[in-house]
Amino acid sequence: MSKARIAVLVSGGGTNLESLLNAQEAGEIPHGEIVVVLSSAAGACALERAKNHGVPGFAVPRAGRPQEEFEAGLTEKLTEYRADLIILAGFLSILSPGFVERWPDRILNVHPSLIPSFCGPGMYGLKVHQEALRRGVKVTGATVHLVNEIPDGGRILLQKAVEVLPGDTPERLQRRVMEQAEWVLLPQAAELVAQGLAR
């Protein structure tokens, strides 16, 4: 069986990447294989995680570079590793419509809320959980979706709800959403799309 070749794009600590690597090693992504990790930040801990799992990792720094140059660097590595599927796992750089169009229905993103809640410009990371607590919602969660050229657009693949508990801080809520939703959904979505690509 030919496996879909997966590239994971990261920007920071790489906890979502770790969940994908662990799932792969547990046989939970049988139709895919993570072949490369690319970080938009030099020195990101995620690159060390990739190395610990024997996966090549490279920094393609975003800071101080024009969008076209940054995306050209990403494209070069993605082409070199013959990526079939791209997973944005805590990747904080916005990709241009032109870049997205090169991989139609092949870019997965995870968002730490139940889309359409708490998404849009400026809604990422801890800010999402701060807003959920500010609004007083009782349930939040995470969404994995296919990216298209429309900001916050794309087809929702999977969602999972997570309870907001009394006394939650944004940090506590963020951790619960990662553990109960993001780390569960990402490997499932990776396998779902990889299965289609591997046929």
Side-chain angles (χ1 to χ4, degrees), residues 39-84:
S39 172
S40 63
C45 292
L47 293 175
E48 191 63 30
R49 290 182 192 267
K51 182 181 173 185
N52 291 341
H53 287 267
V55 176
F58 303 93
V60 182
R62 173 68 183 100
R65 299 171 79 186
Q67 185 77 14
E68 298 78 16
E69 186 182 316
F70 170 60
E71 291 183 352
L74 290 175
T75 300
E76 182 182 337
K77 284 295 181 191
L78 292 168
T79 303
E80 179 184 344
Y81 281 86
R82 304 187 322 279
D84 299 309

Side-chain angles (χ1 to χ4, degrees), residues 108-153:
L108 283 174
N109 186 40
V110 61
H111 186 72
S113 77
L114 298 172
I115 290 175
S117 298
F118 313 122
C119 60
M123 283 286 108
Y124 61 89
L126 208 56
K127 295 177 183 180
V128 175
H129 307 293
Q130 288 169 341
E131 187 62 12
L133 291 173
R134 189 184 74 78
R135 293 275 188 92
V137 298
K138 301 300 180 193
V139 174
T140 185
T143 303
V144 177
H145 63 99
L146 283 163
V147 177
N148 67 22
E149 64 277 5
I150 303 165
D152 295 315

Side-chain angles (χ1 to χ4, degrees), residues 16 19 110 112 129 142 174 177-178 180-187:
N16 282 335
S19 74
V110 61
H129 307 293
Q174 179 183 50
V177 169
M178 286 192 296
Q180 295 183 12
E182 294 180 43
W183 298 349
V184 174
L185 295 180
L186 263 178

